[in-house]
Amino acid sequence: MSRPAAEARARARTFLAQTLSAEGNVLMLEHATRDEVVRRLASAGRAAPARGSVAPGGAAAVEVTNARIAEAPDLEALARLVASCSRCPLHATRKNAVFGEGAAEARVVCVGEAPGAREDETGRPFVGRAGRLLDRLLMSIGLPRTSVYICNVLKSRPPRNRDPLPEEVAACAPYLVRQLALIQPDVIVAFGAFAARTLLETKSALGRLRGRVHRYSGYPVIVTYHPAALLRNPGWIRPTWEDLQMVRRMLDGADESEARLG
């Protein structure tokens, strides 16, 4: 790609990120005239960080190739790549990248959808009320938070917590694959419909995915409700606990059919 084309794409990405991240500006894309869009693009070009400049969170934004991700020797090196990543426009609007945290040799990896506002503020996954509920759920099957690994499909918060876009998922997916390769978990728990559909590449409803053992990148996957959804729907706590019992049985040596049947 030529330098002018690359700069034009960077301006467009910054323009979209700024527009979509600002409350009340979403409709601008539908109603703006051509001249208004041109003026905003020019303004975005002046405001856009230069290649290699400091991104939100204090890390220099750089392009990270799939090869560099696949060659990361450990989780710390991979986290540094995420902190400086500019593979999608979300790096321009985040406060902190949310790489993940937990035991480097965890038997269980918990995967959510994307960071929320609290996660973006702290740089940590699953914090706040939903995080505390997750901690209690994990303890109910004998797993302290420090014994598992917790991360999200996306490493940056989408504006206004909207659903991740396909290109954002594609940009972040190699990080998750490498995290799993470095951790080598016995089982993955997909929390929430979006995480489940993304990992399993399906459009099925969460209810149809529960109660079975699936596969992602060779690892067993069990699907259940997101802790944030449980806060809104306490009646789903019992089914979630039952899903986590499948995880417990697999950790205790049951095969996939035995784990499913209990």
Side-chain angles (χ1 to χ4, degrees), residues 103-185:
E105 298 180 352
R107 299 183 65 193
V108 175
V109 170
C110 303
V111 180
E113 171 185 329
R118 288 290 302 277
E119 288 79 8
D120 187 47
E121 289 281 353
T122 63
R124 298 182 59 211
F126 282 87
V127 294
R129 292 178 64 208
R132 291 192 293 272
L133 179 54
L134 173 64
D135 294 349
R136 294 195 293 271
L137 289 167
L138 292 172
M139 282 299 298
S140 75
I141 58 169
L143 295 175
R145 183 181 177 111
T146 54
S147 72
V148 306
Y149 196 87
I150 303 175
C151 60
N152 288 296
V153 174
L154 293 195
K155 310 308 182 189
S156 301
R157 181 196 180 198
R160 301 182 314 283
N161 294 341
R162 61 157 171 75
D163 284 348
L165 302 177
E167 56 267 31
E168 295 163 355
V169 173
C172 269
Y175 290 120
L176 179 58
V177 171
R178 187 58 182 159
Q179 282 175 304
L180 295 172
L182 290 168
I183 298 168
Q184 293 286 307

Side-chain angles (χ1 to χ4, degrees), residues 3 10 12 24 49 53 86 98 104 112 123 126 147 164 168 170 186 207 221 240 253-254 258:
R3 182 170 180 176
S53 63
S86 60
V98 183
F126 282 87
S147 72
E168 295 163 355
D186 292 331
V221 177
T240 302
E258 292 171 335

Side-chain angles (χ1 to χ4, degrees), residues 50-107:
R51 191 183 190 87
S53 63
V54 176
V62 298
E63 289 190 10
V64 182
T65 64
N66 287 352
R68 288 187 66 191
I69 295 172
E71 293 167 359
D74 52 40
L75 291 172
E76 290 185 3
L78 191 62
R80 287 194 294 271
L81 292 180
V82 169
S84 63
C85 182
S86 60
R87 288 166 62 92
C88 80
L90 294 181
H91 81 278
T93 56
R94 73 188 182 203
K95 293 181 180 177
N96 288 289
V98 183
F99 176 71
E101 66 180 27
E105 298 180 352
R107 299 183 65 193

Side-chain angles (χ1 to χ4, degrees), residues 31-51:
H31 302 291
T33 66
R34 180 181 181 279
D35 288 343
E36 287 172 336
V37 171
V38 170
R39 285 197 300 271
R40 286 173 179 259
L41 279 170
S43 175
R46 291 190 294 271
R51 191 183 190 87

